Amino acid sequence: GQQLNQSPQSMFIQEGEDVSMNCTSSSIFNTWLWYKQDPGEGPVLLIALYKAGELTSNGRLTAQFGITRKDSFLNISASIPSDVGIYFCAGQGGSNYKLTFGKGTLLTVNP
Amino acid sequence: DTGVSQDPRHKITKRGQNVTFRCDPISEHNRLYWYRQTLGQGPEFLTYFQNEAQLEKSRLLSDRFSAERPKGSFSTLEIQRTEQGDSAMYLCASSLEGVEAFFGQGTRLTVV
């Protein structure tokens, strides 16, 4: 089945620093999504990517859909304390609508 | 609040008991999904509905699990004869036309 490798597993950064995380897949995806999850809550959709090579921004967040369709990255610029949480990549492939998730990147921001 | 709503937020049950969770999707979203998330992992797909039709089920969904969406609106997920391995966060999500799924806050199940 499809598997997503998300890295790094965790990051500890200072407020104001930029952050980058990525996902790679063993299979081609049609859509990449990035979510953020706070403890005890459901994931919140941050960015959706639909085309290979697509670069999309949402405020301080920028994500790209890799040209091979097997990878995606998420950048967060000028991090702030409320960026703390777990970031998940998710991919959709084939003709169904289910999402395959990575294991997440735990981000800690030191004020 | 017009987001995905799940009830209850927390459930503690004894092993062997049956439990049922409810999900109310975003109004007019025709697709509804159930995922399960264990500690340190990303959500894993269980099943999804398009309107009232259940279109796909994961192998994770054993015969003790059943999901329904009788009128194409809310959905229920029932687990019969719960086991300790069923302890997890059960997440519901909905989407309109594409794959952008919006999640509820989840139901945390603890089987003791």
Side-chain angles (χ1 to χ4, degrees):
Chain A
Q2 295 171 326
Q3 293 185 344
L4 288 186
N5 294 310
Q6 187 170 350
S7 65
Q9 282 188 312
S10 62
M11 301 183 75
F12 188 94
I13 62 171
Q14 296 296 121
E15 183 177 0
E17 290 183 351
D18 298 344
V19 170
S20 183
M21 58 192 79
N22 68 82
C23 267
T24 58
S25 168
S26 57
S27 306
I28 288 174
F29 282 124
N30 300 325
T31 307
W32 283 97
L33 304 173
W34 284 91
Y35 287 85
K36 177 176 182 277
Q37 187 175 30
D38 293 328
E41 302 291 329
V44 174
L45 181 62
L46 300 174
I47 289 182
L49 302 156
Y50 296 100
K51 289 167 43 177
E54 179 182 355
L55 186 70
T56 297
S57 292
N58 177 9
R60 294 178 295 106
L61 277 60
T62 302
Q64 184 159 28
F65 192 143
I67 57 173
T68 65
R69 297 170 64 192
K70 290 185 177 183
D71 62 330
S72 176
F73 73 76
L74 175 71
N75 283 346
I76 305 173
S77 63
S79 59
I80 59 178
S82 62
D83 290 334
V84 165
I86 303 176
Y87 291 80
F88 290 99
C89 60
Q92 176 270 332
S95 59
N96 57 54
Y97 291 90
K98 68 180 182 183
L99 298 176
T100 300
F101 281 79
K103 291 188 176 183
T105 294
L106 173 61
L107 178 64
T108 304
V109 179
N110 192 29
Chain B
D1 183 28
T2 57
V4 177
S5 176
Q6 292 189 245
D7 182 71
R9 291 291 310 276
H10 304 275
K11 178 71 177 178
I12 299 174
T13 190
K14 291 184 178 179
R15 191 176 52 183
Q17 297 293 306
N18 299 344
V19 294
T20 300
F21 310 141
R22 177 181 170 120
C23 172
D24 288 89
I26 294 172
S27 178
E28 297 178 354
H29 277 194
N30 58 350
R31 295 195 185 98
L32 185 148
Y33 314 81
W34 286 97
Y35 286 80
R36 182 171 70 185
Q37 185 177 27
T38 54
L39 198 62
Q41 303 294 318
E44 294 175 292
F45 172 80
L46 292 178
T47 188
Y48 93 93
F49 293 83
Q50 180 155 324
N51 299 314
E52 66 274 12
Q54 188 172 17
L55 296 187
E56 187 168 349
K57 293 194 290 187
S58 162
R59 285 173 294 176
L60 291 175
L61 214 66
S62 76
D63 56 5
R64 296 184 297 106
F65 288 69
S66 62
E68 294 183 343
R69 195 184 183 196
K71 297 182 179 179
S73 57
F74 74 92
S75 175
T76 58
L77 177 68
E78 180 183 18
I79 309 174
Q80 296 182 327
R81 305 180 303 281
T82 52
E83 302 172 357
Q84 286 190 318
D86 297 331
S87 296
M89 174 81 92
Y90 289 85
L91 294 162
C92 177
S94 68
S95 69
L96 185 52
E97 293 298 331
V99 300
E100 294 182 25
F102 296 87
F103 284 82
Q105 293 176 305
T107 294
R108 168 73 65 188
L109 173 66
T110 302
V111 181
V112 297

